[in-house]
Amino acid sequence: MNPLHNSAHSLNIIILAAGRGTRMHSAIPKVLHQLAGISLLNRVLNSARALKPARLIVVYGHGADQIRAHITEPDIDIEWVLQDEQKGTGHAVQLAMRVLNQTSQQNVRLAAASTLILYGDVPLISVSTLQRLCAAQTGQLLALLTAHTAQPQGYGRIVRLANHLANHQVQRIIEEKDASEQERAITEINTGILIAPTHLLAHWITQLTPQNAQGEYYLTDIVTMAATDSGVTTCHPDNLEETLGINSRAQLAHLERVFQLTQANHLMNQGVTLRDPARIDIRGNLQCAQDVVIDVNCIFEGQVEIGAQTDIGANCVIKNAKIGRGVKILPFTHIDGAIVGSDALIGPYARLRPGSVLAENTHVGNFVELKNTCLGAGSKANHLAYLGDAEIGARVNVGAGTITCNYDGVNKHKTIIEDDAFIGSDSQLVAPVRVGKGATLAAGTTLTQNAPPDTLTLSRVEQISRVDWRRPQKK
């Protein structure tokens, strides 16, 4: 068991999220930009909450109002600290530690607590890496997350003593702007993520000075103090990408693809065929049974479940939906908030909107839209139809051009079509209205009253052909 998770040793987490993000060239705060449909800050919060901290502090600054408005539920566990003037990471932690100290002075377990520092623009940090880092922090040690890379440019370097026989022999961190040529050749880099005993962190953070090229308070300077006072240990992440921060849209796009490829590999390992793993976007939670096939450029949002042996064509968008077994979804179909039964055939260019429930063996064809509509087993709407607020029975055929006129400008009304009905092409069903079992509507019918079961119903004006009529001529 991680000692930070028991009652005798509590964990505080501070997330630094005050940066302006100048290189994003955006009116949106950097930490609110999205990766796979979730803001960077929310991704870090999700990882932080998984550690079950006693205290969770977010230091925010640029775009403060937008950030507070964005983080809604559940934010009851967050303590917000405003950094009006950004003077570096060390300054941000100083502000957070004041809040911790103010409310922890009466806490006799303060010396037993540890504080973990995370960053709101490092969205892919994994819970497993953080758990390992927390476990490495024992006694009075500071635990630092470091990584090795062949391209360390832009990162602070880990400077170790000449006899670097153990992790605690870390001497200091040198930022690249302040590093010598020899120090820049070091390939072990600082990720910025660290955990330390809270009482020691509170002491070290007050000793920081802005004596560097940027004139800022560097959090990394506490590593030198820790190396002298108590020692520093290090551990490495599961992979380098999870420690990468985002400072530009190019970096955001890079991590988006890193994340999506990870998701794609997970799906393929579960028995899913992806026509091109580089061309899938999962912006939520996608659960697939075995032998699902997904073609290129499909987007999955929210909670999506897909049954075994279902085939999804190219360029489909599926959101908050449950798709049954053996379904065939043809290209350019949009499904949002719908349930599709087994062996259904959907698309191409179909749209299923929220509240739509399709039973088994249903067909919804090209340019057909359903909204809040139940389609019974074996029923078909193959061409150019709008079916809204409707309850459609089994084995119903809906002809091309059919519309349920469900909205009177103020209220929605329901259309009921019973089993085995046949709706002719270009029919309008003005709700509220019912079509009886086995009834047939002739093509072109505008139905304003209930159609009796097992009966042909039609409404047409008499057809007239005038031999004396001439087309108008251009003057």
Side-chain angles (χ1 to χ4, degrees), residues 24-65:
M24 299 296 287
H25 299 287
S26 175
I28 302 171
K30 177 173 65 172
V31 296
L32 296 191
H33 283 263
Q34 294 191 347
L35 188 149
I38 300 175
S39 72
L40 308 183
L41 180 54
N42 263 327
R43 286 196 171 277
V44 180
L45 283 169
N46 289 342
S47 294
R49 288 190 177 108
L51 300 178
K52 298 183 173 15
R55 306 280 297 278
L56 178 56
I57 295 176
V58 175
V59 181
Y60 69 121
H62 178 67
D65 292 342

Side-chain angles (χ1 to χ4, degrees), residues 44 48 74 79 92 98 124 129 179 226 275 282 323 338 394 418 429 475:
V44 180
E79 299 175 67
R98 290 174 193 169
L124 298 186
T129 289
R275 297 301 185 198
I282 301 169
I323 312 298
E418 297 181 1
L429 287 72
K475 294 182 181 179

Side-chain angles (χ1 to χ4, degrees), residues 10 12 97 100-101 104 110-115 196-203:
S10 62
N12 306 312
M97 292 306 296
L100 273 180
N101 290 337
S104 298
L110 177 62
S114 296
T115 297
T198 301
H199 68 289
L200 289 178
L201 181 61
H203 169 68

